[in-house]
Every structure is written in structure tokens, then in C-alpha cells.
Amino acid sequence: MVKDNIIPNHMDIYWHDYTGHVKDKPITEASVPVKAALIGRVGLMLLSCGTGAWRVRSSMNALSEQLGVTCTASIGLMTIVYTCFDGHKTFTNSLALNNTGVNTSKLDKLERFVKRFPKEGVYKSGEQLHSELDEIEKIRGLYTPFKLGLAAAFACSAFTFLLGGGLIEMICAFIGAGAGQYLRARLIRKHYTLYMCTILSVALACLVYIGALRLGQLFFHISSGHEAGYICAMLFIIPGFPFITSGIDLAKLDMRSGLERLAYAVLIIVNATLTAWVMSSIMGLHPADFPELSIPPAIHLLLRLAASFVGVFGFSIMFNSPVRMAASAAVIGAIANTLRLELVDFADFPAAVAAFVGALTAGLLASALMKRLGYPRISVTVPSIVIMVPGLYLYRAVYNIGEMSLTLSAPWLVSALLIIMMLPLGLIVARIITDRSFRHCT
């Protein structure tokens, strides 16, 4: 289909053409190609939500068992190659997405579709099942670009406080991140490329932050010592979801998916940090430590809990989570992230070890809570620890590399890598403890 005089590079798949000649019989009586089309479509839709290969394969296997076929699949970031066979016939297919992202609301609906399939789906025809999937497919963004910008504004403002910034930095980061994410959401809706969305939104966030600060200096006589917070205005771009899911996939030896997700996350990080470095060079900015805040420990603890809740809630909204799901992730994230920060400040834990404990806590809390709420675990655990991803460390590492200060860059880069490795490891250990099926490689 041609849209806006642009010929798509990925052709549309007309799934209803693959429902079989007899469309009123149950899917269990259909041919292998018809069954395989349903299995593949569900897998591809799950993949489009940003979930990892292990979860996609598990769902495809669950459908295959009910349909009486065996399914083997090789799953990447944006492609699935799979074979279905029933002892007599074999059908191999290759499917690809035209883009990737995160949509926890659609993920929740798909998981419920798979869970209901043994009791309801097996009695429906291929036509009926694809019609149900059509409705799930229509779930795009629950929120307008303005609301997504607002979510990013609150999340990055909270992130600023957790990193040590004060009220001025929080206000400027709120305005900058809101503008950047608003632009990013509008560009994504128009299907612009990853590079364009990342570079333009980060550049705008930095410009708006400095613009807001300069206006504050002009009208309210704010001092010039608040420029360090411009880094926080771009942290909405940090690809926490693919970072975390890549680690989980690698733990299950889904090497293809894990490495592709890692490469995708690194691609975003490189583009974002290089853009921020260029902007800082143009505007004459230099990353610096925030002035120390004089807050009593008890009040600081409460403020950290509140900021962590707001930050995780904002990131969850950006992942298209319904409000109730986002609030669940925010409660878990508030506890886990505050514990992490307190361990660093009062128990002298290394930042990477504290990150592991925080992620482990988030995973254990999610396992206990999700049994009651019924949400997909990944839609709560990953948003709850995204706020722990060291975007500030990564930026300062790249900034110093750009300035050829390799000695200064190394500590920031190594610290960031250690934390990034520990975050998925904490979730993995929590999953091993609470999920028997996850402990085995079968």
C-alpha cells in the first residue's frame, strides 16, 4: 500500500488470506499453513511490543501445543524465522517488522489472548481469531504526544533530583525533556527513522533546557551554576527496555535476539550522547557535579521514594502502560530504587552491587504482586528499573571521549557498563528464584 506517495520498504501481510478455505471450522481442524500463520502472527505481534525472545517463543509454543503442531523458531529483534510441522506436512515462514518499540498495553492483551486460547481459541475459526488479533493490532498509543511529553517531563525532573540536582535543574529538565519527548512522539507517529527521531529530540531537549535557564537568569536572576542539569533533559531517550531484555535473552542463550537488542540499544545511546556532546560544544557547556543538597536523611529518604515513584510512573506511561499498570511498576520501582540509593550512601555499597540488589528486589516484588494483578511480569519489572540505567555515566563517558580525555572517560564508561550488566542479572536471579520454568534450558 502506498502512503503519502512513499512506497513502504516492508509489504503489508493480509492475514485473512491465510485462514483456510473452510472458514467456519475450528482452527484445530485447519491445515498446517493456516495454523502456522496464526502462530507466526502472534509471535510477530509480541515481538513488536518489545518483549524478549524467550517470551515470544513460549507463547508460540503454547499455541502450537494446542494446535497439534511442533514449532521451532529463531527470533531476533525484528524478525522471526520459524517452522511448524505435524509429522506429515512442514511449513516454514520468515516474518519481519518494519520498526520496533515498546507497547506494554498491547503486550498485556496478547498474553491474555494466549492464556485464553486453550479454553476459548481452540473452538474458534482462523477468521475469528485473526479478527481478534486485528483488534489488538489497533492498540497504538494510549496517550497523545502532549501527554507523553508530560510523562517524560515528570520522569526526567524526578531523575534530576535522584542524581543530585536541585529545584532549578528539575524545572529546566522538566521543560527540556517535555519538549524533546513531544517532538520525538510526533516524529515516531510520522514514521521517521530512528536516527532522525533520536538526534532531533535530544538536540531540542538540550536547547530548551538552556533556553529555560537563560530566561530564568534574565528574569529571576538565577545563577549560572545550574548548567550541569542539561544532561538530565535528554534522559528520556535512554533505551532501558532493550538494554534489560537483551541481558535476559543472553541469559537464556537466545544469542541472536540478545545481541541484536544490545546493538539497537547501543545505537540509540551513541546517537543520543554524540548529539548531546555536539550541542554542549556549540553552547559551551561542560558536565559538572551538582551542588550538594542539604537535606536531612529522613526527609531525603521520603523525597527519594516520591521521586522514584514519579520517575518510574512517567517511564511506564512512555512505554504505553495503562495507568494502573504504570502505578504498579511505580510502587515497585520506588522501593527498589530507593533501596539502591540508600545502600550506596549509607552502606558504602559499590554502585553496581547496589544496582543488582535493586533489580533483584524489583523482580521479587513483581513476582509477588503480579500473581494478584495478572500483568505480564516484564511490563512491570523493566519499567521499574529503567530509572537505574546510568544515562548520566554514559553521557559523561562519551563527552570525555569526544574531548579526547580518555583517562577521565574510562571510569565513567566502566562504571556504566558494570551497572548495565548488573541490572538484568538482578532480574534474572529473581526470575530463577520465583519461576521454576525459567531455571532450566529445556
Side-chain angles (χ1 to χ4, degrees):
M1 188 190 315
V2 178
K3 297 178 181 178
D4 301 325
N5 297 321
I6 298 175
I7 300 176
N9 192 243
H10 294 262
M11 297 180 69
D12 293 330
I13 300 175
Y14 300 99
W15 293 105
H16 288 270
D17 293 345
Y18 304 95
T19 56
H21 296 295
V22 183
K23 297 186 177 182
D24 58 345
K25 287 190 176 182
I27 186 72
T28 51
E29 298 181 21
S31 63
V32 172
V34 173
K35 295 176 180 178
L38 177 70
I39 294 167
R41 185 182 186 187
V42 171
L44 193 68
M45 289 176 67
L46 283 164
L47 196 64
S48 71
C49 298
T51 192
W54 188 81
R55 184 172 296 274
V56 173
R57 184 179 291 105
S58 296
S59 298
M60 293 175 72
N61 290 344
L63 295 179
S64 300
E65 290 175 5
Q66 296 299 319
L67 294 176
V69 298
T70 300
C71 180
T72 62
S74 174
I75 302 167
L77 172 67
M78 298 178 61
T79 58
I80 300 176
V81 179
Y82 68 105
T83 298
C84 292
F85 50 94
D86 65 354
H88 302 286
K89 293 182 179 180
T90 300
F91 184 85
T92 299
N93 207 353
S94 177
L95 300 173
L97 298 169
N98 59 10
N99 203 350
T100 186
V102 180
N103 190 329
T104 53
S105 177
K106 183 185 290 187
L107 175 61
D108 181 41
K109 297 292 185 183
L110 285 168
E111 292 225 341
R112 293 179 189 276
F113 174 90
V114 173
K115 288 179 181 178
R116 293 196 309 267
F117 192 81
K119 295 181 179 179
E120 301 176 11
V122 291
Y123 303 108
K124 296 179 180 179
S125 66
E127 183 71 25
Q128 291 172 317
L129 292 167
H130 280 289
S131 294
E132 285 187 27
L133 293 175
D134 288 341
E135 294 302 312
I136 299 176
E137 193 91 63
K138 293 176 183 177
I139 300 175
R140 301 297 182 187
L142 297 177
Y143 308 101
T144 63
F146 175 79
K147 291 180 179 179
L148 291 173
L150 199 61
F154 277 108
C156 290
S157 181
F159 218 146
T160 304
F161 173 78
L162 294 171
L163 290 171
L167 183 61
I168 302 302
E169 290 89 352
M170 291 174 65
I171 293 173
C172 293
F174 181 95
I175 300 170
Q181 176 59 24
Y182 173 80
L183 175 62
R184 182 186 180 210
R186 292 296 300 268
L187 293 175
I188 289 174
R189 291 198 173 193
K190 292 181 179 295
H191 307 288
Y192 285 106
T193 63
L194 175 68
Y195 276 55
M196 188 173 178
C197 294
T198 302
I199 292 171
L200 291 180
S201 59
V202 169
L204 180 63
C206 293
L207 279 172
V208 171
Y209 180 96
I210 296 303
L213 183 60
R214 295 289 182 260
L215 289 174
Q217 292 171 344
L218 180 63
F219 293 106
F220 302 103
H221 307 292
I222 296 171
S223 67
S224 59
H226 302 285
E227 293 179 346
Y230 77 94
I231 303 170
C232 302
M234 56 162 279
L235 294 180
F236 64 89
I237 206 75
I238 298 300
F241 221 96
F243 256 141
I244 304 304
T245 53
S246 70
I248 296 172
D249 279 345
L250 290 173
K252 295 296 291 183
L253 297 184
D254 277 309
M255 305 301 290
R256 179 187 167 202
S257 177
L259 292 174
E260 288 182 13
R261 288 174 187 279
L262 181 60
Y264 173 74
V266 169
L267 190 67
I268 296 175
I269 289 291
V270 169
N271 275 282
T273 51
L274 287 178
T275 301
W277 169 61
V278 170
M279 296 301 297
S280 66
S281 299
I282 293 172
M283 295 185 289
L285 304 175
H286 305 281
D289 295 330
F290 293 110
E292 189 171 345
L293 300 175
S294 299
I295 302 175
I299 296 177
H300 202 184
L301 173 65
L302 294 175
L303 291 175
R304 278 178 167 174
L305 281 168
S308 297
F309 180 92
V310 171
V312 174
F313 186 87
F315 279 117
S316 296
I317 293 297
M318 290 166 61
F319 295 149
N320 204 44
S321 299
V323 171
R324 192 162 175 257
M325 184 189 294
S328 301
V331 170
I332 294 170
I335 296 170
N337 190 54
T338 303
L339 173 63
R340 174 184 71 93
L341 295 172
E342 295 294 306
L343 288 175
V344 172
D345 287 351
F346 297 104
D348 293 325
F349 272 45
V353 177
F356 171 82
V357 175
L360 175 65
T361 302
L364 294 175
L365 289 174
S367 296
L369 188 60
M370 291 311 98
K371 291 179 181 178
R372 297 184 178 182
L373 298 180
Y375 297 133
R377 189 193 313 242
I378 197 171
S379 65
V380 177
T381 53
V382 174
S384 70
I385 67 169
V386 162
I387 201 167
M388 303 180 193
V389 175
L392 176 65
Y393 289 21
L394 290 167
Y395 168 72
R396 296 189 74 164
V398 171
Y399 176 88
N400 285 301
I401 289 173
E403 298 295 314
M404 292 297 128
S405 301
L406 302 184
T407 304
L408 294 176
S409 173
W412 291 107
L413 183 60
V414 172
S415 297
L417 292 177
L418 286 173
I419 294 172
I420 288 170
M421 288 189 290
M422 284 298 193
L423 290 176
L425 186 60
L427 288 185
I428 291 163
V429 172
R431 191 68 181 266
I432 290 172
I433 293 171
T434 59
D435 188 349
R436 184 174 178 271
S437 64
F438 198 83
R439 300 170 200 165
H440 303 278
C441 61
T442 54

